């Protein structure tokens, strides 16, 4: 609630976007280092196999062991980074659902119109996030559906997830299809969000 006055500010969404990008870039960076360490390990193994005498073979074996430890190190780093990234996505989506659901409940209790501009823009921010980071979200679709977008969820909120699911299926059936250029996504990024009087309606 204490962040509500700032909820329509652009910097808040930039912070969210920056946080997600940081998680993705961190995973990508570790993947690159992991691939380099694997290539290095393969080179060391080839050198060990071609060692001319036992002393050199022993030294190269130690180098292979060091390269294996380096690979294991990056594998663990990647696992931790991917787990953190998944947690970030789940937390972000969960908070969106909680905020939107709370708005719907409050509006119905007070007999107010639920489909305010604030509600539509917030919902479209959720849709935009899911579409923009579709590569990562695709890996979590089952988890999102199992834990967050359950049959009990408000249809107005679950509709966002179902629309993103359809976009993923389209991109699978038609590889040239770009979800980020669909009318659904364009509507979410072109629709104005900052409307101060709508915040008061929340």
């Amino acid at each position: 609630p204490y962040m509500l006055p700032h909820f329509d500010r652009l910097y808040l969404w930039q912070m969210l976007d920056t946080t997600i990008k940081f998680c993705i870039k961190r995973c990508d960076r570790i993947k690159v280092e992991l691939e380099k360490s694997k290539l290095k390990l393969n080179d060391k193994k080839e050198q060990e196999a071609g060692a001319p005498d036992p002393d050199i073979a022993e030294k190269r074996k130690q180098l292979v062991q060091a390269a294996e430890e380096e690979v294991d190190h990056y594998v663990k780093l990647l696992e931790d980074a991917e787990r953190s990234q998944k947690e970030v996505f789940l937390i972000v989506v969960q908070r969106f659902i909680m905020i939107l659901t709370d708005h719907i409940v409050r509006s119905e209790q007070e007999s107010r119109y639920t489909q305010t501009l604030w509600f539509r823009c917030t919902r479209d921010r959720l849709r935009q996030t899911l579409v923009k980071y579709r590569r990562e979200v695709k890996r979590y679709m089952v988890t999102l559906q199992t834990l967050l977008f359950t049959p009990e969820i408000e249809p107005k909120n679950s509709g966002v997830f179902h629309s993103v699911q359809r976009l993923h299926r389209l991109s699978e059936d038609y590889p040239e299809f770009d979800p980020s250029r669909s009318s659904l996504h364009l509507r979410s990024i072109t629709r104005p969000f900052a409307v101060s009087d709508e915040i008061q309606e929340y």
Side-chain angles (χ1 to χ4, degrees):
Y2 68 90
M3 286 296 292
L4 192 58
H6 307 276
F7 198 69
D8 63 335
R9 301 296 186 263
L10 181 60
Y11 74 83
L12 191 65
W13 301 105
Q14 290 175 332
M15 288 170 58
L16 171 63
D17 198 53
T18 300
T19 301
I20 295 176
K21 284 182 178 178
F22 173 82
C23 293
I24 294 173
K25 288 182 178 180
R26 182 189 177 202
C27 288
D28 291 341
R29 185 172 62 252
I30 296 175
K31 286 178 183 177
V32 171
E33 294 300 326
L34 177 59
E35 289 304 314
K36 289 181 179 179
S37 63
K38 286 181 178 179
L39 291 174
K40 181 179 177 182
L41 175 59
N42 291 335
D43 291 340
K44 297 299 180 184
K45 286 182 176 180
E46 291 177 1
Q47 293 174 9
E48 180 188 15
D53 60 69
D55 290 339
I56 295 178
E58 181 62 28
K59 291 181 180 179
R60 291 183 178 177
K61 182 179 180 180
Q62 294 176 358
L63 293 175
V64 168
Q65 291 176 343
E68 288 175 340
E69 291 176 359
E70 184 177 309
V71 170
D72 292 340
H73 171 68
Y74 282 115
V75 167
K76 186 178 184 304
L77 281 181
L78 182 59
E79 290 175 349
D80 292 341
E82 289 182 335
R83 182 169 56 253
S84 297
Q85 177 178 291
K86 182 178 181 179
E87 290 174 354
V88 167
F89 271 100
L90 292 179
I91 290 173
V92 167
V93 176
Q94 182 189 45
R95 293 298 185 270
F96 264 109
I97 293 176
M98 289 173 61
I99 291 171
L100 292 169
T101 302
D102 184 62
H103 167 81
I104 293 172
V105 171
R106 286 172 178 268
S107 297
E108 291 178 348
Q109 288 177 344
E110 299 173 8
S111 300
R112 291 190 289 112
Y113 181 58
T114 59
Q115 296 285 331
T116 62
L117 180 59
W118 180 94
F119 175 83
R120 296 195 304 271
C121 290
T122 303
R123 184 183 57 193
D124 282 346
R125 284 290 186 180
L126 170 59
R127 180 185 287 112
Q128 178 187 4
T129 301
L130 294 176
V131 173
K132 182 175 182 179
Y133 299 105
R134 60 192 178 279
R135 185 189 68 175
E136 290 73 28
V137 169
K138 186 176 181 180
R139 299 163 54 190
Y140 314 137
M141 291 296 277
V142 175
T143 304
L144 288 171
Q145 186 170 17
T146 303
L147 298 181
L148 300 179
F149 292 100
T150 61
E152 295 77 22
I153 199 69
E154 168 63 41
K156 296 182 181 67
N157 296 334
S158 61
V160 173
F161 180 71
H162 296 321
S163 64
V164 173
Q165 277 184 316
R166 288 194 293 271
L167 285 179
H168 280 297
R169 286 195 291 268
L170 277 173
S171 61
E172 290 175 356
D173 296 337
Y174 304 94
E176 68 280 5
F177 174 72
D178 184 1
S180 65
R181 296 185 179 277
S182 71
S183 59
L184 176 150
H185 178 68
L186 291 177
R187 186 178 71 247
S188 69
I189 62 177
T190 56
R191 176 178 291 165
F193 182 79
V195 181
S196 58
D197 58 341
E198 289 291 340
I199 300 300
Q200 300 302 322
E201 290 189 13
Y202 180 83

